[in-house]
Amino acid sequence: MLKGFGNFLLKELKELARDPKILLGMIVVPLVMFPVLGGIMGYAVQTAQEQAIKAALIIVDNDCGNWSSSFISFIESLGDVGFNLTVYKENEVELTSEKVLELLAKYNTTQILEIPRGFSENVTAHFNYPNVKAYVRFYGVLRGTSVFESVSASVVDALISMFNRRYAPDVLDSKKATVIKGEIKHGVDPAAVSGLLMSQSIAMPITVLILLMYAVQIAATSVAMEKEEKTLETLLTLPMDRLAILWGKLSSSIIVAAIGAVAYMAGYSYMLSSVMAGIPEGLNLDLAALGLVPSVFGYLLLGLTLFVTMLSALALAVIMSAFAEDIRSAQSFVSYIYPLVFLPSIALIYLDVNTMPFALKLVFYAIPFSHPVIASKAVIMGDYWTVIFGIVYVSAFTLVVMYAASRLFATEKILTAKLKFKGLKIRREKPAEESY
């Protein structure tokens, strides 16, 4: 067998466990990051459940018959079975596009259920002629691309299903319309649209994770390699401005970032076209016709957001790696950036930043690496000001980090800068001193 393997393995494990950079990066950070991520996802689920049982619904009764009154009474009685549904009633209102938007604004809700004329007559006829059905019309507002955006449409489906179980299996059905950017799209199911947008929006967080992790590792390794191989001293003695060294490393990283941003936009555009081409004709969903495909200006803003975000990550990786002694230390240091990339990217798959509480919204906006995901959803909804704000904010953050890096490279500290965890080292050395 392998003689001495057990003792050597134990020695290696002790050395790795004593390295505070590994302890923090591989053990402490995940132990903090995943509970926080779990809390965010739990909040998302709780929010969806509250939307499902505490919905506000406008019911427009244009039939004013016996069965329409029974249907409204049935909905109002659902509080006894756990549905805390707030109902606002309107009678005999012609639902033009302008009137729908007016009612939604008046009651500050996102869903309208219309009982059309002839509803009671059709319900009565159904018991003698089962082929006859009664219909209600549902108008739902598409607010964003979160995974729980389809909750409101699901609530209406549940109401219809419960009404059918009480009176007749197939007496009632629905015709749905979606309010998109202030326009009513008849025959479009809000749940189908939100599901399709959700499948697209997953691509952005995954891509951001891959690009940022790859880019920061390149930038960190570039600086750490110079220090580890002792070539940084040689570079600093050359007749060239020290800032030229910093800008040279950043410029090479910028080129990589630009190529990555262009490659992403090409892949993202191809993915959108592929998803749209694969939509069954029966669904009648043309995202371009619905205005849910980014414009050329939107693509430019999205690419610029991704570029400045990658640049901020590169600048931060360069200044952090300057405190490392070798490549392994640099990779450990930049791993502290990963929670700031993972948390917003994964959380924004499930949450829409516009529906968050104000304090939580500020936290996500303050994290520069969350803005590409926010921008990918904003450009679809035509919210360009949010994207522009993100570009300005991330650019300002990048300038601050780059200024700090330039100050570091302008002094001799670049050669001696080291990040020590003295408290951990003192506690580790005490037993050895006491043994003497």
Side-chain angles (χ1 to χ4, degrees):
M1 296 297 291
L2 298 175
K3 184 178 180 180
F5 172 75
N7 293 331
F8 185 75
L9 175 62
L10 185 61
K11 179 189 78 70
E12 290 296 317
L13 289 176
K14 287 182 178 179
E15 288 183 358
L16 291 175
R18 288 170 179 171
D19 190 337
K21 296 183 291 296
I22 295 178
L23 179 64
L24 289 175
M26 297 188 65
I27 299 177
V28 176
V29 171
L31 286 176
V32 173
M33 181 179 68
F34 286 106
V36 171
L37 185 58
I40 293 174
M41 294 174 64
Y43 168 79
V45 174
Q46 182 181 357
T47 302
Q49 291 174 343
E50 291 176 354
Q51 289 178 357
I53 65 175
K54 295 183 179 180
L57 179 66
I58 304 172
I59 298 181
V60 178
D61 187 2
N62 287 330
D63 179 72
C64 298
N66 293 332
W67 277 107
S68 64
S69 298
S70 298
F71 180 61
I72 295 173
S73 299
F74 167 77
I75 293 177
E76 291 176 332
S77 68
L78 291 178
D80 299 333
V81 294
F83 276 85
N84 188 11
L85 189 64
T86 302
V87 176
Y88 303 103
K89 291 183 288 186
E90 294 277 346
N91 294 326
E92 298 184 357
V93 177
E94 183 180 357
L95 291 181
T96 61
S97 298
E98 294 77 10
K99 193 63 179 180
V100 167
L101 297 177
E102 179 184 331
L103 289 176
L104 291 172
K106 177 181 178 181
Y107 294 103
N108 191 27
T109 185
T110 59
Q111 46 195 352
I112 296 177
L113 192 64
E114 179 191 5
I115 304 175
R117 293 178 178 87
F119 176 84
S120 296
E121 181 181 347
N122 288 336
V123 172
T124 302
H126 174 80
F127 294 100
N128 295 322
Y129 305 96
N131 292 331
V132 178
K133 286 188 177 183
Y135 290 90
V136 292
R137 295 190 179 96
F138 174 72
Y139 300 84
V141 179
L142 182 68
R143 297 172 298 175
T145 59
S146 69
V147 72
F148 301 116
E149 183 61 30
S150 60
V151 167
S152 60
S154 300
V155 170
V156 172
D157 290 337
L159 297 179
I160 292 174
S161 177
M162 287 187 290
F163 184 83
N164 284 338
R165 286 200 302 269
R166 174 174 293 190
Y167 294 100
D170 301 313
V171 65
L172 186 59
D173 205 344
S174 64
K175 295 180 179 179
K176 297 178 180 178
T178 306
V179 182
I180 303 175
K181 301 178 184 179
E183 296 183 8
I184 299 177
K185 306 294 182 179
H186 292 280
V188 178
D189 188 347
V193 176
S194 62
L196 184 58
L197 291 177
M198 183 61 209
S199 65
Q200 296 177 6
S201 63
I202 292 176
M204 171 58 97
I206 302 301
T207 304
V208 169
L209 287 175
I210 295 173
L211 286 178
L212 289 181
M213 290 174 62
Y214 178 68
V216 297
Q217 288 291 344
I218 291 178
T221 301
S222 175
V223 176
M225 186 179 296
E226 299 284 1
K227 296 189 71 173
E228 183 177 352
E229 297 180 354
K230 306 300 181 182
T231 56
L232 186 59
E233 293 90 337
T234 304
L235 284 175
L236 295 178
T237 59
L238 295 177
M240 60 184 301
D241 196 329
R242 290 190 176 185
L243 292 181
I245 299 174
L246 170 63
W247 283 104
K249 290 187 174 296
L250 285 178
S251 297
S252 61
S253 300
I254 289 172
I255 294 174
V256 174
I259 295 174
V262 172
Y264 164 76
M265 294 312 303
Y268 187 70
S269 177
Y270 177 77
M271 184 206 68
L272 286 180
S273 61
S274 299
V275 171
M276 292 174 60
I279 299 174
E281 294 183 2
L283 292 178
N284 193 29
L285 287 179
D286 184 351
L287 293 184
L290 295 175
L292 295 176
V293 174
S295 62
V296 175
F297 181 63
Y299 274 120
L300 290 175
L301 288 179
L302 186 56
L304 185 57
T305 301
L306 185 61
F307 173 73
V308 296
T309 303
M310 291 183 65
L311 183 57
S312 69
L314 294 172
L316 192 58
V318 167
I319 194 171
M320 291 183 69
S321 60
F323 291 90
E325 302 176 24
D326 49 36
I327 295 176
R328 190 182 75 170
S329 299
Q331 292 176 344
S332 298
F333 287 150
V334 297
S335 67
Y336 304 147
I337 303 175
Y338 294 159
L340 298 177
V341 180
F342 273 97
L343 288 175
S345 298
I346 302 301
L348 289 173
I349 293 178
Y350 300 92
L351 296 173
D352 187 348
V353 70
N354 295 318
T355 62
M356 295 179 183
F358 182 71
L360 186 59
K361 184 186 298 186
L362 288 180
V363 171
F364 276 89
Y365 276 121
I367 301 174
F369 309 120
S370 64
H371 285 275
V373 185
I374 295 174
S376 68
K377 297 184 176 185
V379 295
I380 291 177
M381 303 305 297
D383 183 11
Y384 295 136
W385 285 111
T386 297
V387 185
I388 293 173
F389 164 77
I391 293 173
V392 173
Y393 170 75
V394 178
S395 299
F397 174 83
T398 305
L399 289 175
V400 171
V401 175
M402 292 179 67
Y403 174 77
S406 64
R407 295 284 296 178
L408 179 62
F409 268 77
T411 65
E412 299 300 326
K413 292 181 180 179
I414 186 60
L415 294 173
T416 59
K418 293 180 182 179
L419 190 60
K420 298 288 187 180
F421 296 87
K422 294 182 179 179
L424 291 175
K425 288 192 173 184
I426 291 173
R427 286 194 294 270
R428 188 182 68 193
E429 292 170 358
K430 274 186 177 181
E433 294 173 359
E434 291 171 357
S435 63
Y436 287 101

